[in-house]
Amino acid sequence: MTTPPGWYPDPDPGQRANSPSAERWWDGTSWTGQTRTKAAVRGPLVAGVVGALVLVAALVVSAVLTFAIGPGVSGVPRDEAGGAGPSSEPTPPEGGPGAPEEDGGTPGKPEGDVPATGVDLPVLDGWERDPFGPLVTTGEYKCPGSKAESCLRGSSMIIVAPTDTGDTEDAARNDIGRHAKLAYSKGTYGGIKSHEAVTSEKTSVAGQDAYRVRWKIVNRTKPDAYVESVAFTHPDGSGEMLVLRTGFDIAESAPPLSDMDKLAEGVTEESGGTGDSPGQDV
């Protein structure tokens, strides 16, 4: 197995000397010419998640969401409550990206998550678009559990769901726990103490049948947060399963929860499916 596509520390010593936070895109087989400064953690892409792209992640809100169960359930993150547990990561090729951190991956880059192409997210008032994928963020600040890292008050990104995930409900439920753990990791928020599934329902995204799972999580280090995973099939007719991961802090300076619905409602198919459309502002 090879390391999945994603943003990783730039292997070029010259670039690292100029910017210790420089990252380069790994396409799954080789380094590309795309570089950027390290994305904020999508917590709030784990501000992180990022990034993931990263992402994600987000999420990182970022990042970062795996949905499951009905309302009123609290306790451990989803992977310990019967959902998707941590996935085993492939060993990086020689000279390739480094290994993920134990508590959820490199800040700002959900390990193993591949950004979707051919779809776009709306840019709501006060939000910003990431130039390299379907990721929007808002409210960067120093992470409460690690002042050396940056988190986000809100983040939303679309990733490709793992293969063999079943229908949209299965995909959403199997993602929310991983997403929450990546977005609000031990290193940035002290880890998740408990969660409550506040929404679990059928919906639609970009004209496609979809399924939403939303959790309210309690972090060991404040703020607490809402995370959401919405699974839907790609509107291009390919049948590819995608997951919209969104995460919001519960804080005065965080975006209103209504933005979470607006982000899902505003997902569109990009004309030509090139992945580089500037998208719409809302």
Side-chain angles (χ1 to χ4, degrees):
M1 295 181 67
T2 59
T3 299
W7 291 106
Y8 296 89
D10 196 323
D12 185 341
Q15 291 291 336
R16 289 202 305 270
N18 294 332
S19 176
S21 64
E23 294 182 325
R24 185 176 295 273
W25 182 258
W26 172 262
D27 66 8
T29 58
S30 61
W31 295 106
T32 69
Q34 292 179 311
T35 60
R36 70 172 187 180
T37 56
K38 185 175 181 180
V41 179
R42 269 197 324 128
L45 165 115
V46 149
V49 128
V50 76
L53 293 152
V54 115
L55 22 110
V56 293
L59 158 194
V60 333
V61 303
S62 285
V64 15
L65 318 177
T66 301
F67 334 51
I69 60 194
V73 178
S74 61
V76 295
R78 173 61 180 157
D79 63 297
E80 298 175 29
S87 62
S88 56
E89 298 294 342
T91 302
E94 184 175 353
E101 297 174 358
E102 260 186 44
D103 67 345
T106 304
K109 191 195 73 58
E111 299 294 340
D113 297 328
V114 180
T117 58
V119 287
D120 204 3
L121 280 161
V123 182
L124 306 180
D125 185 33
W127 289 69
E128 296 181 353
R129 175 183 306 285
D130 187 285
F132 297 113
L135 167 68
V136 291
T137 63
T138 185
E140 183 174 345
Y141 68 104
K142 293 299 182 182
C143 297
S146 173
K147 299 304 181 183
E149 301 290 348
S150 292
C151 285
L152 297 168
R153 291 300 184 190
S155 66
S156 186
M157 70 175 298
I158 304 174
I159 65 165
V160 177
T163 56
D164 302 324
T165 54
D167 59 17
T168 55
E169 181 175 353
D170 289 337
R173 291 184 182 279
N174 289 331
D175 182 76
I176 188 69
R178 172 173 166 78
H179 169 60
K181 196 170 183 179
L182 286 169
Y184 291 89
S185 67
K186 291 180 180 178
T188 51
Y189 295 87
I192 300 172
K193 292 174 61 179
S194 64
H195 75 266
E196 176 186 2
V198 296
T199 302
S200 182
E201 63 184 7
K202 292 181 179 180
T203 184
S204 64
V205 172
Q208 307 298 305
D209 290 340
Y211 199 90
R212 164 186 288 120
V213 179
R214 183 180 296 175
W215 281 4
K216 180 179 181 180
I217 61 175
V218 177
N219 293 313
R220 296 187 183 281
T221 302
K222 298 299 181 182
D224 297 330
Y226 285 101
V227 292
E228 176 174 282
S229 293
V230 184
F232 62 102
T233 53
H234 203 301
D236 65 0
S238 65
E240 182 177 47
M241 186 76 72
L242 306 178
V243 177
L244 169 63
R245 288 176 167 177
T246 306
F248 286 8
D249 279 358
I250 300 176
E252 185 175 347
S253 56
L257 194 56
S258 59
D259 275 9
M260 195 170 282
D261 295 326
K262 291 179 181 178
L263 288 164
E265 293 167 359
V267 173
T268 57
E269 180 182 5
E270 290 183 341
S271 58
T274 59
D276 57 1
S277 167
Q280 72 219 51
D281 291 341
V282 177

